[in-house]
Each structure stands twice: as structure tokens, then as C-alpha cells.
Amino acid sequence: MSKKEQYGLEFIKITANGKTGYNCRRINGIVDINNDLQFMSDLDISGTEFLLREINSYLDATPDPNWTIYESMVLEHIELQIEYPNFRIDDRPYTFPLVDIRDLLQEWLEFLKT
């Protein structure tokens, strides 16, 4: 099972008037905490690669208990924070495992490149 399936997401390619857009949305309109993962719709290839580099720098390093929260600057209108070993979106009271976010972003990047 892919990460997008695990989190109940689907990736959609939309073409209109000669322009192509990409959307990440919840399957069947379900509303729960996984809706926050739809932030990926705002990431193009370069933004996705940038966020992946940020996440991988934390996952590839030896964890340090003194790490402070890292705020990604990849999106201006959505706060994305690495709170190793977790990932927080828009100061929500819950987090997602950083490894899962990395895997989701890799799936999203593959989709964007097709």
C-alpha cells in the first residue's frame, strides 16, 4: 500500500485551456486530520524537491535532543514545521511522522513528473 493510499489521498491531474494543474485531495470527501496533507497541491516540482531536501537533512543526520523546531520557507501561506521526528502543519495540535511525509512527498514528486 502506498502512503497516499494509507492516508486516504488521491493525486489528480487536471488539464484545461492548455494548462495542466495537479491536485492532492481526500478520497470520497472524507474530512479528518489527513485533510491537512492536501498542502501538497501547492507544491510544484521544485518546491517538493526543496522540502524533501529539508526533511532528508534531518532524517540523514544523527538525532540531536537539542534540535529546535525548523520552519520551512517553501510555502508562504502554510506553516510547515519539522519537529524531529515529526512534521506539523499550520500549528495543528497533532503531527505526522516525518518519514511518512518524506514518502508522501516522494510519491507526489513522481506524480508531478509524469
Side-chain angles (χ1 to χ4, degrees):
M1 173 183 291
S2 68
K3 283 295 175 191
K4 75 175 181 174
E5 293 169 338
Q6 180 183 335
Y7 282 96
L9 301 170
E10 61 183 345
F11 300 159
I12 299 170
K13 184 177 186 177
I14 303 164
T15 303
N17 299 324
K19 295 185 179 184
T20 301
Y22 299 88
N23 195 357
C24 170
R25 69 179 187 189
R26 292 286 285 141
I27 294 173
N28 300 325
I30 296 170
V31 177
D32 63 12
I33 64 173
N34 293 343
N35 283 52
D36 288 335
L37 297 171
Q38 296 174 115
F39 80 88
M40 291 188 298
S41 292
D42 295 322
L43 293 172
D44 58 10
I45 290 173
S46 64
T48 304
E49 290 173 336
F50 184 85
L51 186 54
L52 274 168
R53 280 191 300 275
E54 292 177 318
I55 289 171
N56 282 327
S57 71
Y58 275 80
L59 293 175
D60 292 342
T62 303
D64 182 341
N66 297 319
W67 279 344
T68 58
I69 295 172
Y70 174 81
E71 294 188 28
S72 176
M73 300 299 283
V74 72
L75 295 174
E76 292 180 16
H77 63 288
I78 299 173
E79 290 184 33
L80 303 174
Q81 300 173 326
I82 297 174
E83 300 178 10
Y84 185 86
N86 297 308
F87 188 80
R88 186 178 307 275
I89 303 166
D90 274 343
D91 290 325
R92 298 290 196 258
Y94 46 84
T95 60
F96 297 93
L98 198 52
V99 172
D100 285 1
I101 296 299
R102 179 205 55 206
D103 294 347
L104 270 172
L105 288 168
Q106 288 172 335
E107 290 176 17
W108 178 246
L109 183 61
E110 289 174 24
F111 173 73
L112 292 176
K113 290 182 174 182
T114 61

